Amino acid sequence: MYKKLLLSFSILFLIQTCSLEASKQNNKETFTAVEELFSKDQDINYGKLYAHLHYTFNDPTLLRDALHPMLSRKWRSNKQQFDRLEWLGDSVMETIIIEKLLNIFPNDPRKHIDKIRSNLVENKTLTDVFYLNLDVEKYLPYPGKVEYKVCNVLEALVGAIRRDDIVNGHLNAEKFLMRLMDS
């Protein structure tokens, strides 16, 4: 009961915070890589990145595919794979969040639940979640002057985690997402 109540308050706080931030700023979705945020190393630090994500990939290629826009040409893979992971991650996130909200608000009308879901998965909210809880640049070599949308990277990471384990992928993606959103 306490955990359910805490999660409800966390969600409502996140929605209010993000709504205030969104009203203060125009479109903060696209970012240009800032050299100081990235590692001075020339390689991806997989060990520290896995620890930071609280997930170890069976297939590191999926992680690189998910981080595609934030990587230099040396580390980039196929953009089509990134797009697919982002698409999958978006769908997985929607499903996870809808399931959680249905459990938290079992008697509320769909319209109410959908409004909360919409606020939680919008690009500005995902961008805030990324920078509050996921900033992975410090484990990546500086890619040069590239632009990327961190909300898309977050979605792609959820998709990559889902695809990485055929048996437990959905559960792993749920744990990953809930750890980020509950923070």
Side-chain angles (χ1 to χ4, degrees), residues 66-67 69-70 82 130 148-158:
L67 297 173
M70 300 175 76
F82 169 78
F130 183 94
Y148 51 91
K149 298 176 181 179
V150 295
C151 57
N152 295 347
V153 173
L154 175 55
E155 291 168 344
L157 282 168
V158 170

Side-chain angles (χ1 to χ4, degrees), residues 29-158:
E29 183 183 333
T30 302
F31 294 89
T32 303
V34 176
E35 189 169 1
E36 292 77 26
L37 299 177
F38 287 81
S39 170
K40 302 294 182 214
D41 296 331
Q42 297 301 309
D43 295 323
I44 297 172
N45 189 332
Y46 284 103
K48 287 186 178 180
L49 187 52
Y50 289 160
H52 183 70
L53 296 174
H54 299 274
Y55 182 80
T56 300
F57 279 84
N58 297 310
D59 180 0
T61 304
L62 285 168
L63 176 59
R64 281 200 325 271
D65 289 344
L67 297 173
H68 175 86
M70 300 175 76
L71 299 175
S72 64
R73 289 181 192 246
K74 173 184 174 182
W75 292 104
R76 281 189 178 184
S77 54
N78 186 334
K79 182 174 180 338
Q80 181 179 353
Q81 293 304 322
F82 169 78
D83 291 338
R84 289 175 177 217
L85 289 175
E86 178 195 354
W87 178 48
L88 174 62
D90 184 44
S91 297
V92 170
M93 285 176 56
E94 290 268 348
T95 301
I96 291 168
I97 288 172
I98 289 170
E99 288 174 344
K100 294 293 181 189
L101 291 174
L102 288 173
N103 289 333
I104 293 169
F105 305 106
N107 300 316
D108 286 33
R110 177 181 169 184
K111 183 178 179 180
H112 176 253
I113 294 169
D114 194 50
K115 185 170 178 94
I116 296 171
R117 178 215 47 86
S118 178
N119 284 322
L120 289 172
V121 298
E122 72 181 4
N123 289 344
K124 286 183 171 77
T125 301
L126 296 179
T127 299
D128 288 344
V129 167
F130 183 94
Y131 278 114
L132 289 172
N133 301 320
L134 193 64
D135 55 331
V136 297
E137 293 92 339
K138 58 189 162 200
Y139 307 109
L140 307 174
Y142 177 62
K145 283 192 100 167
V146 297
E147 289 187 345
Y148 51 91
K149 298 176 181 179
V150 295
C151 57
N152 295 347
V153 173
L154 175 55
E155 291 168 344
L157 282 168
V158 170

Side-chain angles (χ1 to χ4, degrees), residues 15-27:
I15 291 168
Q16 290 174 345
T17 303
C18 292
S19 295
L20 287 173
E21 287 301 312
S23 65
K24 291 179 189 175
Q25 299 183 19
N26 292 329
N27 186 351

